[in-house]
Amino acid sequence: GMPGPMGSTGPNPNPLSVGNSIFVDAIYGKPAGEVENFIGPYININDAATAAAALALARGVPSTVYVRPGSYTANLNLARVNVNWYFEEGSKVDYVGNNMMFNATSSIPGFDIRGYGEFTTSRGNFIFSFSSPYEYNIEGKSVINSPTNLDRGAVCIRVQNPTLKCRIKFETVSLAS
């Protein structure tokens, strides 16, 4: 047959760009990572969450944070509007903040946390908390809460809204002091 019309012309997209994505890397990350660039990852998981939320807001579509193998420390709520997460095998996050690692309140609609993440805290907080009427898919390798005092009401995963849908899948869930 006849060849079709010529397509639009313009600058070629960066071959290293990955649309609507943020990367986190404990070894090769930078304090000021690059949005949508898999060779320009963030080193700080809190900063990656903030960048992903800004990207999702600017584009009007969800973004995904890809967490590469390594050990990370989080001290903020990582749940953000329209931000999904994927944790590669060997990615470990220790929560040292005073609240929850992922706290899905009514202002944060459903999101996914997928992959093989290992989530820990010894602060006695919740690691995951869901209280809004949306849908969540949460999976990983392990969730371990090992507070020094179990009387503080420590919980690994808290689901407290009867109208939400939450799929949870972990190999290990542990609460022990």
Side-chain angles (χ1 to χ4, degrees):
M2 297 292 294
M6 184 172 157
S8 65
T9 59
N12 289 332
N14 181 344
L16 305 176
S17 294
V18 180
N20 302 322
S21 299
I22 304 290
F23 296 87
V24 186
D25 193 303
I27 297 171
Y28 300 107
K30 304 171 190 171
E34 298 174 38
V35 172
E36 298 184 323
N37 186 338
F38 75 88
I39 65 167
Y42 284 79
I43 195 163
N44 183 299
I45 199 165
N46 297 313
D47 294 342
T50 301
L55 177 63
L57 181 63
R59 297 275 170 84
V61 297
S63 61
T64 301
V65 178
Y66 292 90
V67 182
R68 295 181 178 152
S71 295
Y72 304 92
T73 301
N75 62 355
L76 301 175
N77 177 12
L78 297 178
R80 301 288 199 281
V81 174
N82 284 326
V83 175
N84 297 308
W85 293 80
Y86 184 84
F87 291 87
E88 293 181 15
E89 180 77 42
S91 56
K92 301 172 182 179
V93 183
D94 184 38
Y95 183 72
V96 297
N98 294 319
N99 200 344
M100 294 154 235
M101 186 184 303
F102 285 94
N103 183 15
T105 61
S106 60
S107 63
I108 301 175
F111 55 83
D112 290 347
I113 300 171
R114 304 277 188 169
Y116 305 92
E118 299 176 41
F119 307 98
T120 61
T121 189
S122 59
R123 302 286 295 217
N125 316 56
F126 309 111
I127 295 179
F128 298 99
S129 178
F130 306 98
S131 59
S132 56
Y134 300 105
E135 186 170 327
Y136 302 92
N137 295 295
I138 312 302
E139 67 182 30
K141 200 167 200 175
S142 62
V143 178
I144 299 171
N145 192 345
S146 53
T148 55
N149 182 354
L150 283 175
D151 292 339
R152 294 179 54 197
V155 174
C156 290
I157 303 168
R158 176 177 72 171
V159 178
Q160 64 179 27
N161 186 320
T163 62
L164 72 84
K165 294 178 183 176
C166 192
R167 292 177 198 87
I168 302 169
K169 179 182 176 186
F170 286 95
E171 292 176 22
T172 303
V173 176
S174 174
L175 175 62
S177 60

